[in-house]
Coordinates of all heavy atoms in Angstrom, one line a residue:
E44 N -2.2 -1.2 11.4 CA -2.5 -0.5 10.2 C -2.6 -1.5 9.0 O -3.5 -1.3 8.2 CB -1.3 0.5 9.9 CG -1.4 1.7 10.8 CD -0.1 2.6 10.7 OE1 0.9 2.1 10.2 OE2 -0.1 3.7 11.2
K45 N -1.7 -2.5 9.0 CA -1.8 -3.5 7.9 C -3.2 -4.2 8.0 O -3.8 -4.5 7.0 CB -0.7 -4.5 8.0 CG 0.6 -3.9 7.6 CD 1.7 -4.9 7.6 CE 3.0 -4.3 7.2 NZ 4.1 -5.2 7.3
L46 N -3.6 -4.5 9.2 CA -4.9 -5.2 9.4 C -6.0 -4.3 8.9 O -7.0 -4.8 8.2 CB -5.1 -5.4 10.9 CG -5.0 -6.9 11.3 CD1 -5.2 -7.0 12.8 CD2 -6.0 -7.8 10.6
R47 N -6.0 -3.0 9.1 CA -7.0 -2.1 8.6 C -7.1 -2.1 7.1 O -8.1 -2.2 6.5 CB -6.8 -0.7 9.1 CG -7.4 -0.5 10.5 CD -6.7 0.8 11.1 NE -7.2 2.0 10.5 CZ -6.5 3.2 10.7 NH1 -5.4 3.2 11.5 NH2 -7.0 4.3 10.2
I48 N -5.9 -2.1 6.5 CA -5.9 -2.1 5.0 C -6.3 -3.5 4.5 O -7.1 -3.5 3.5 CB -4.4 -1.7 4.5 CG1 -4.2 -0.3 4.9 CG2 -4.3 -2.0 3.0 CD1 -2.8 0.3 4.5
A49 N -5.9 -4.5 5.2 CA -6.3 -5.9 4.7 C -7.9 -6.0 4.7 O -8.5 -6.5 3.8 CB -5.7 -6.9 5.6
K50 N -8.5 -5.4 5.8 CA -9.9 -5.5 5.9 C -10.6 -4.7 4.7 O -11.6 -5.1 4.2 CB -10.4 -5.0 7.2 CG -10.2 -6.1 8.3 CD -10.7 -5.6 9.6 CE -10.3 -6.5 10.7 NZ -10.5 -5.9 12.0
A51 N -10.0 -3.6 4.4 CA -10.5 -2.7 3.3 C -10.4 -3.5 2.0 O -11.2 -3.4 1.1 CB -9.8 -1.4 3.3
L52 N -9.3 -4.2 1.9 CA -9.0 -4.9 0.6 C -10.0 -6.1 0.5 O -10.5 -6.4 -0.6 CB -7.6 -5.5 0.6 CG -6.5 -4.4 0.5 CD1 -5.1 -5.1 0.6 CD2 -6.6 -3.7 -0.9
E53 N -10.3 -6.7 1.6 CA -11.3 -7.8 1.6 C -12.7 -7.2 1.2 O -13.4 -7.8 0.4 CB -11.4 -8.4 3.0 CG -12.3 -9.6 3.0 CD -12.4 -10.2 4.5 OE1 -12.4 -9.4 5.4 OE2 -12.5 -11.4 4.6
K54 N -13.0 -6.1 1.7 CA -14.3 -5.4 1.4 C -14.4 -5.1 -0.1 O -15.4 -5.1 -0.8 CB -14.4 -4.2 2.2 CG -15.8 -3.7 2.6 CD -15.7 -2.8 3.7 CE -16.9 -1.9 3.9 NZ -16.7 -0.9 4.8
L55 N -13.2 -4.7 -0.6 CA -13.1 -4.4 -2.0 C -13.2 -5.6 -2.9 O -13.3 -5.5 -4.1 CB -11.7 -3.7 -2.2 CG -11.3 -3.0 -3.5 CD1 -12.2 -1.9 -3.9 CD2 -9.9 -2.5 -3.4
R56 N -13.1 -6.7 -2.3 CA -13.2 -8.1 -3.0 C -12.0 -8.4 -3.8 O -12.1 -8.9 -4.9 CB -14.5 -8.2 -3.7 CG -15.7 -7.9 -2.9 CD -17.0 -8.5 -3.5 NE -17.1 -9.9 -3.4 CZ -17.6 -10.6 -4.4 NH1 -18.0 -10.1 -5.5 NH2 -17.6 -11.9 -4.3
V57 N -10.8 -8.0 -3.3 CA -9.6 -8.5 -3.9 C -9.5 -10.0 -3.8 O -9.9 -10.5 -2.7 CB -8.4 -7.7 -3.1 CG1 -7.1 -8.5 -3.2 CG2 -8.3 -6.3 -3.6
D58 N -9.0 -10.7 -4.8 CA -8.9 -12.1 -4.7 C -7.8 -12.6 -3.8 O -8.0 -13.5 -3.0 CB -8.7 -12.7 -6.1 CG -9.8 -12.4 -7.1 OD1 -10.9 -13.0 -7.0 OD2 -9.7 -11.4 -7.9
V59 N -6.6 -12.0 -4.0 CA -5.5 -12.4 -3.2 C -4.8 -11.2 -2.5 O -4.6 -10.2 -3.2 CB -4.4 -13.1 -4.1 CG1 -3.2 -13.7 -3.2 CG2 -5.0 -14.2 -4.9
I60 N -4.6 -11.3 -1.2 CA -3.9 -10.2 -0.5 C -2.5 -10.7 -0.2 O -2.3 -11.7 0.6 CB -4.6 -9.8 0.8 CG1 -6.0 -9.3 0.5 CG2 -3.8 -8.8 1.6 CD1 -6.9 -9.1 1.8
E61 N -1.5 -10.1 -0.8 CA -0.1 -10.4 -0.4 C 0.2 -9.6 0.9 O 0.4 -8.4 0.8 CB 0.9 -10.1 -1.5 CG 2.3 -10.6 -1.1 CD 3.2 -10.7 -2.3 OE1 3.5 -9.7 -3.0 OE2 3.7 -11.9 -2.5
A62 N 0.2 -10.3 2.0 CA 0.1 -9.6 3.3 C 1.5 -9.2 3.8 O 1.6 -8.4 4.7 CB -0.5 -10.5 4.3
G63 N 2.6 -9.7 3.2 CA 3.9 -9.4 3.6 C 4.9 -10.4 3.2 O 4.7 -11.4 2.5
F64 N 6.1 -10.2 3.8 CA 7.3 -11.1 3.6 C 7.6 -11.6 5.0 O 8.3 -11.0 5.7 CB 8.4 -10.3 3.0 CG 9.7 -10.9 2.8 CD1 9.8 -12.2 2.2 CD2 10.9 -10.3 3.1 CE1 11.0 -12.8 2.0 CE2 12.1 -10.9 2.9 CZ 12.2 -12.2 2.4
A65 N 7.1 -12.8 5.3 CA 7.0 -13.2 6.7 C 8.4 -13.3 7.4 O 8.5 -13.0 8.5 CB 6.3 -14.6 6.8
I66 N 9.4 -13.7 6.6 CA 10.7 -13.8 7.2 C 11.5 -12.5 7.5 O 12.5 -12.4 8.2 CB 11.6 -14.8 6.4 CG1 12.7 -15.4 7.4 CG2 12.3 -14.1 5.2 CD1 13.3 -16.7 6.9
A67 N 10.9 -11.4 6.9 CA 11.6 -10.1 7.0 C 12.0 -9.7 8.4 O 13.0 -9.2 8.7 CB 10.8 -9.0 6.3
S68 N 11.0 -9.9 9.3 CA 11.3 -9.5 10.7 C 10.1 -10.1 11.5 O 9.1 -10.5 11.0 CB 11.2 -8.0 10.9 OG 9.8 -7.5 10.7
P69 N 10.3 -10.2 12.9 CA 9.2 -10.7 13.7 C 7.9 -9.9 13.5 O 6.8 -10.5 13.5 CB 9.7 -10.6 15.1 CG 11.2 -10.6 15.0 CD 11.5 -9.9 13.6
G70 N 8.0 -8.6 13.3 CA 6.9 -7.7 13.1 C 6.1 -8.1 11.8 O 4.9 -8.1 11.8
D71 N 6.9 -8.3 10.8 CA 6.3 -8.7 9.5 C 5.6 -10.1 9.6 O 4.4 -10.3 9.1 CB 7.3 -8.8 8.4 CG 7.8 -7.4 7.9 OD1 8.3 -6.7 8.8 OD2 7.6 -7.1 6.7
F72 N 6.2 -11.0 10.3 CA 5.6 -12.3 10.5 C 4.3 -12.2 11.3 O 3.3 -12.7 10.9 CB 6.6 -13.2 11.3 CG 6.0 -14.5 11.7 CD1 6.0 -15.6 10.8 CD2 5.3 -14.7 12.9 CE1 5.4 -16.8 11.2 CE2 4.8 -15.9 13.3 CZ 4.8 -17.0 12.4
E73 N 4.3 -11.4 12.4 CA 3.1 -11.2 13.2 C 2.0 -10.6 12.3 O 0.8 -10.9 12.5 CB 3.4 -10.4 14.4 CG 4.2 -11.1 15.5 CD 3.5 -12.4 15.9 OE1 2.3 -12.5 15.9 OE2 4.3 -13.3 16.3
A74 N 2.3 -9.6 11.5 CA 1.3 -8.9 10.7 C 0.7 -9.9 9.7 O -0.6 -10.0 9.5 CB 1.9 -7.8 9.9
V75 N 1.5 -10.7 9.0 CA 0.9 -11.7 8.1 C 0.0 -12.7 8.8 O -1.1 -13.0 8.3 CB 2.1 -12.5 7.3 CG1 1.5 -13.5 6.4 CG2 3.0 -11.5 6.5
K76 N 0.5 -13.1 10.0 CA -0.3 -14.1 10.7 C -1.7 -13.5 11.2 O -2.7 -14.1 11.0 CB 0.5 -14.5 12.0 CG -0.1 -15.6 12.8 CD 1.0 -16.3 13.6 CE 0.3 -17.2 14.7 NZ 0.1 -16.5 15.9
A77 N -1.6 -12.2 11.7 CA -2.9 -11.6 12.1 C -3.8 -11.4 10.9 O -5.0 -11.6 11.1 CB -2.5 -10.2 12.7
I78 N -3.3 -11.1 9.8 CA -4.2 -11.0 8.6 C -4.7 -12.3 8.2 O -5.9 -12.5 7.9 CB -3.4 -10.3 7.4 CG1 -3.1 -8.8 7.8 CG2 -4.2 -10.4 6.1 CD1 -2.1 -8.1 6.9
A79 N -3.9 -13.4 8.3 CA -4.4 -14.7 8.0 C -5.5 -15.1 8.9 O -6.4 -15.8 8.5 CB -3.2 -15.7 8.0

Side-chain angles (χ1 to χ4, degrees):
E44 288 167 343
K45 287 185 182 175
L46 252 179
R47 275 161 72 196
I48 293 179
K50 284 182 190 165
L52 293 172
E53 183 182 40
K54 210 162 160 191
L55 189 60
R56 305 199 70 222
V57 155
D58 298 284
V59 186
I60 298 173
E61 187 161 57
F64 175 47
I66 203 158
S68 70
D71 285 58
F72 174 86
E73 287 305 329
V75 177
K76 185 160 168 268
I78 292 169

